[in-house]
Amino acid sequence: AAVVAIARPGALAVVDDYARDISQEIDDPIIREILAETHGCIIYQESLMAILNRVYGLPKEEGEILRKIVGKKLTDKVGEWKEKIYKAGEERGVPEETTDWFWSTVKASADYLFNKSHSYSYGELSAETIYLKHYYPQHFFLESLKMALEKPDPLGDISEIEEELGEFGIELLPPDLV
């Protein structure tokens, strides 16, 4: 799920931090708890929402608004949140360097941050697809060829499938019209 989420434009900025697992470098215990499963990185929309609510004290409804902004790539609207976040941080005694870090993450997230449930669902589908492709390649590619007919460029898709078939030792035969 994390790999699926981190491959999104908003989360790509934290790939190195995720690989290093920066969770222990976070001073704020609430943020550390929220981000424990993601190695100290904000890669899910829900993490932004939780930090806004639990650390900055903003209502959950406000977190939902910000979630929609980063979920729909509304980069022009994210700037409106800077003053609100810094003001909430000041009122709650959040260190400015923590708010600087959080704000830079929010800005980067405006390019698109995935939600957790989609990440898990796509991750599961990806694992199942890889399993089927590896252990049942003939069935997998037969269904892929059928699906190619529904795509905008079926011949291009069929050519790509045919190329990949060679890696599995499978030959795509021409239609048998007899």
Side-chain angles (χ1 to χ4, degrees), residues 35-110:
L35 301 179
E37 72 174 312
T38 58
H39 297 212
C41 300
I42 298 175
I43 61 172
Y44 301 126
Q45 295 169 5
E46 291 82 354
S47 300
L48 277 181
M49 295 170 67
I51 292 170
L52 271 179
N53 179 252
R54 293 181 57 200
V55 176
Y56 291 91
L58 294 172
K60 290 182 179 181
E61 296 80 12
E62 298 265 343
E64 175 61 12
I65 294 167
L66 184 59
R67 185 202 66 74
K68 286 181 180 177
I69 289 171
V70 300
K72 298 190 184 304
K73 303 180 210 172
L74 303 174
T75 54
D76 56 322
K77 294 191 183 276
V78 79
E80 301 168 10
W81 284 82
K82 183 175 184 176
E83 186 178 332
K84 187 180 290 195
I85 290 170
Y86 274 89
K87 183 177 179 198
E90 189 177 311
E91 289 172 0
R92 302 265 307 209
V94 177
E96 191 170 347
E97 58 271 7
T98 300
T99 302
D100 290 341
W101 166 82
F102 182 64
W103 173 245
S104 69
T105 303
V106 169
K107 279 194 324 187
S109 299

Side-chain angles (χ1 to χ4, degrees), residues 132 135-144 170:
L132 293 171
Y135 290 104
Y136 302 97
Q138 289 177 316
H139 299 291
F140 176 86
F141 285 111
L142 178 60
E143 292 305 315
S144 296
I170 301 171

Side-chain angles (χ1 to χ4, degrees), residues 129-130 132-149 157-172:
T129 301
I130 291 166
L132 293 171
K133 186 176 184 178
H134 181 77
Y135 290 104
Y136 302 97
Q138 289 177 316
H139 299 291
F140 176 86
F141 285 111
L142 178 60
E143 292 305 315
S144 296
L145 287 167
K146 288 178 186 176
M147 288 175 19
L149 298 175
D157 282 10
I158 291 169
S159 293
E160 286 180 25
I161 292 167
E162 183 177 24
E163 221 174 279
E164 199 171 347
L165 282 169
E167 296 174 28
F168 287 81
I170 301 171
E171 181 183 358
L172 181 61

